[in-house]
Amino acid sequence: MAQRNIIPFGPQHPVLPEPIHLDLVTEDETVVEAIPSIGFVHRGLEKLVEKKDYQEFVYVAERICGICSFMHGMTYCQAVEEIMGLDVPPRALYLRTVWAELSRIHSHLMWLGLAADAFGFESLFMNCWRHREGVLDIIEATTGGRVIFGSCKIGGVRRDIDDGTMKGIVKKLETMASEIRRSTDVFLNDYSVQHRLKGVGVIDGEEAHRLGTVGPVLRASGIAMDARKIGYAAYRDLKFEPVIEKDGDCYSRCRVRVREVFQSIELIAQAAQKIPPGETEIRVTGAPEGEYFSRVEQPRGEVIYYVKADGTKNLKRFRVRTPTFANLPAMVKMLKGAGLADVPNIILTIDPCISCVER
Amino acid sequence: MFLRKSPWIIHYDATSCNGCDIEVVASLTPLYDLERFGIINMGNPKHADIFVVTGSVNPSSSAVVRNIYDQMPNPKVVVAVGICATSGGIFRECYNVLGGIDKVIPVDVYVPGCAARPESIIDGIVKALDILEQRSREFKKLRVESQRQEKKLRRYRLND
């Protein structure tokens, strides 16, 4: 039997900009066990609800994670609106959908770049991030921020997108789609990429479901689970089918994300057609009382917010279950039996967001 | 002198929300292109000249920040990116946040913003280049001085 070694991975490591620590127990080149330890990004912001009032807390919720920041803000706003029984204007719901899909595109393009970096394809990494800047330009023009938008508020949205701009956005995304396709075709067709990703980190549908995975990781294993189908915001009026793949390896997870980029572009075009005129926000008075579970499909999967309020300005309890937290057990499972060289690829294909996990 | 031509940076996320991290990486990619200044993002602290930290510190990440700083060779410069790294920002009232990076290591350049924009990150790093150059000159002077002292001591010993 080969000798067992423990290789520490992280918290500072070149694969991911974020600190995650894994103890990889190896036998020769094979990982036998992976023991994750977390706590490097824990801030304890759930307890901050006691110090900030419920309207101020939207800003904190947006800063749980800087990549899907808009969706975090949106989930929080949905929960509070539901408790207070607010009727959010439909135009605001459509605008939220547009921004949420834009942030999905930018998140997936960012992930594609980082994945390319992880398997050592530097020029592809640079190309994906170049495409991403185009999406960030749209976001900056419509909200004022590049990564943290600050445009969602309880009772609606802060800014409006006029019809001319909306048409421009759809047109720009169309031209961008053909450019993006040139880069994503490399992911789908290139021999060396397939060599690194195919058959690596396989998890079948049953196992993935049992471990409670969400988002692209679950959909890549052939289970059509997409929280957008619940019909929050404007998704109930839009036509789309969850993207699924069968194989459950790194390559299919990559494929799911590539296809979702184009799906999001299509959803924005649909939303731009159907967006109704009218108000973008309503006045909010009083304080919430009650509790609610709010669910939203983020780029990484389904996020669950639990909000409990007792009729005062400060919330009683606030709890977040983020997608990466749900995907970590699957990651540990995938790492078992993998080669040491595949570890970065496997960690990256669950699209880990450590600041979400630890809050 | 030549450090200025191609300083290598190391980036660590202390307890950032990712907002500043992706902006740090964005400033290295084609649109902003920090690499035109010869700047490369390194994974190894022993190869790096500029330490870019994002986010405030908490008890477990402060040990890592300290460790990376100690492993970097002299001369070195620390750039704190984002308002969290400067003072704790929106999270400064959280129970697990100690405050800005300067609670753990000396900081030379503060880049404000939530999230800090790539333009201001580039500006901060270019400012750090001047400090790095000045520090490397001082470091060289110090080394020359210490060598001279050593020589002197050796001569004394020989005379004995």
Side-chain angles (χ1 to χ4, degrees):
Chain A
M1 204 184 99
Q3 197 194 340
R4 284 201 170 199
N5 288 315
I6 295 179
I7 300 176
F9 181 89
Q12 194 274 327
H13 55 91
V15 181
L16 198 76
E18 283 180 288
I20 181 173
H21 179 83
L22 289 168
D23 282 322
L24 302 169
V25 184
T26 58
E27 271 176 15
D28 287 343
E29 283 281 294
T30 318
V31 179
V32 190
E33 207 175 354
I35 306 156
S37 64
I38 54 176
F40 294 101
V41 201
H42 180 61
R43 292 154 285 184
L45 58 82
E46 283 175 3
K47 204 163 171 58
L48 216 57
V49 286
E50 291 170 9
K51 288 176 184 156
K52 307 230 184 254
D53 80 42
Y54 75 98
Q55 297 212 1
E56 245 179 358
F57 198 74
V58 183
Y59 299 111
V60 183
E62 283 202 316
R63 282 159 180 81
I64 289 176
C65 164
I67 302 171
C68 24
S69 78
F70 181 80
M71 298 199 182
H72 274 293
M74 182 169 112
T75 322
Y76 174 75
C77 289
Q78 271 181 20
V80 176
E81 281 155 7
E82 207 64 42
I83 293 171
M84 295 175 83
L86 297 175
D87 253 341
V88 183
R91 189 175 177 85
L93 292 180
Y94 270 86
L95 287 172
R96 280 183 189 178
T97 310
V98 169
W99 279 318
E101 289 307 317
L102 279 173
S103 51
R104 191 184 311 279
I105 299 173
H106 108 72
S107 171
H108 280 349
L109 285 176
M110 189 200 81
W111 177 82
L112 286 168
L114 289 177
D117 195 34
F119 54 69
F121 207 144
E122 188 80 18
S123 56
L124 195 57
F125 160 60
M126 290 293 180
N127 251 326
C128 288
W129 280 66
R130 189 168 57 83
H131 298 316
R132 179 175 164 269
E133 290 292 338
V135 183
L136 289 187
D137 281 346
I138 297 174
I139 291 170
E140 194 180 352
T142 51
T143 66
R146 271 169 59 91
V147 286
I148 291 178
F149 310 171
S151 58
C152 201
K153 64 182 270 187
I154 292 166
V157 288
R158 245 181 218 99
R159 287 161 192 259
D160 198 359
I161 304 178
D162 59 72
D163 290 342
T165 317
M166 193 67 104
K167 271 188 199 129
I169 290 172
V170 173
K171 203 168 270 175
K172 190 178 174 193
L173 283 175
E174 264 169 29
T175 50
M176 271 176 62
S178 60
E179 275 180 42
I180 294 172
R181 203 174 288 278
R182 265 180 35 212
S183 293
T184 52
D185 277 350
V186 179
F187 279 99
L188 302 183
N189 303 327
D190 191 74
Y191 168 75
S192 52
V193 175
Q194 288 186 11
H195 181 72
R196 282 307 298 274
L197 298 182
K198 263 197 175 159
V200 174
V202 182
I203 190 157
D204 60 59
E206 204 177 307
E207 186 74 27
H209 191 259
R210 196 180 62 77
L211 290 169
T213 54
V214 290
V217 181
L218 187 57
R219 287 200 288 277
S221 300
I223 296 180
M225 188 120 92
D226 194 329
R228 285 178 287 180
K229 276 288 174 196
I230 304 167
Y232 63 90
Y235 289 109
R236 62 177 74 91
D237 306 333
L238 304 179
K239 274 202 196 75
F240 69 98
E241 282 305 317
V243 175
I244 53 167
E245 290 286 338
K246 288 277 176 304
D247 295 342
D249 57 358
C250 287
Y251 181 69
S252 11
R253 288 194 278 279
C254 183
R255 249 183 107 87
V256 165
R257 294 200 176 93
V258 167
R259 284 171 62 195
E260 277 187 1
V261 169
F262 299 108
Q263 186 191 42
S264 296
I265 292 174
E266 212 178 281
L267 278 173
I268 292 171
Q270 275 188 43
Q273 262 181 1
K274 290 184 181 166
I275 189 164
E279 290 288 298
T280 57
E281 54 177 298
I282 50 166
R283 237 179 117 236
V284 180
T285 49
E289 187 170 7
E291 55 186 340
Y292 191 71
F293 269 105
S294 174
R295 300 162 70 193
V296 160
E297 182 76 15
Q298 282 185 343
R300 284 155 189 76
E302 180 186 330
V303 66
I304 301 176
Y305 270 48
Y306 170 69
V307 175
K308 186 180 180 186
D310 58 351
T312 57
K313 283 279 177 200
N314 292 22
L315 298 176
K316 189 96 181 143
R317 182 80 174 92
F318 170 69
R319 166 97 188 123
V320 191
R321 202 291 317 264
T322 54
T324 310
F325 187 75
N327 285 339
L328 278 179
M331 184 191 84
V332 171
K333 167 92 185 151
M334 283 184 249
L335 283 175
K336 271 179 206 166
L340 194 59
D342 292 329
V343 169
N345 277 340
I346 294 173
I347 293 176
L348 223 77
T349 47
I350 70 155
D351 202 353
C353 176
I354 309 303
S355 68
C356 275
V357 177
E358 304 179 0
R359 301 177 295 282
Chain B
M1 184 67 199
F2 296 112
L3 266 181
R4 193 193 162 83
K5 305 275 183 192
S6 177
W8 288 1
I9 65 169
I10 180 169
H11 164 239
Y12 183 67
D13 165 355
T15 63
S16 155
C17 74
N18 267 343
C20 297
D21 301 298
I22 54 175
E23 294 295 59
V24 168
V25 184
S27 55
L28 292 160
T29 51
L31 188 70
Y32 295 98
D33 203 11
L34 254 184
E35 291 190 359
R36 70 197 137 116
F37 297 117
I39 294 171
I40 302 173
N41 190 10
M42 285 309 296
N44 191 342
K46 292 189 176 161
H47 294 177
D49 308 303
I50 301 178
F51 187 17
V52 178
V53 203
T54 52
S56 47
V57 284
N58 68 13
S60 33
S61 75
S62 65
V64 185
V65 169
R66 180 88 245 176
N67 207 345
I68 295 173
Y69 182 76
D70 288 344
Q71 281 180 23
M72 283 169 65
N74 269 322
K76 53 194 167 188
V77 181
V78 178
V79 183
V81 171
I83 197 68
C84 294
T86 307
S87 69
I90 196 165
F91 301 119
R92 78 181 169 280
E93 286 171 309
C94 287
Y95 62 82
N96 205 28
V97 168
L98 300 176
I101 298 297
D102 45 13
K103 289 256 156 63
V104 190
I105 52 173
V107 176
D108 299 294
V109 183
Y110 295 92
V111 180
C114 181
R117 294 182 59 87
E119 288 95 337
S120 45
I121 295 174
I122 293 172
D123 201 32
I125 288 177
V126 169
K127 275 218 172 75
L129 292 184
D130 291 335
I131 301 174
L132 184 67
E133 197 182 28
Q134 190 193 335
R135 204 158 281 173
S136 88
R137 229 180 280 133
E138 281 167 16
F139 187 65
K140 202 177 257 173
K141 216 183 279 170
L142 222 82
R143 220 175 47 191
V144 170
E145 183 62 27
S146 72
Q147 274 170 355
R148 196 187 297 142
Q149 293 283 343
E150 220 168 85
K151 225 181 229 171
K152 229 182 196 170
L153 277 175
R154 214 178 291 148
R155 206 178 298 139
Y156 275 131
R157 261 186 237 124
L158 283 178
N159 288 347
D160 285 347

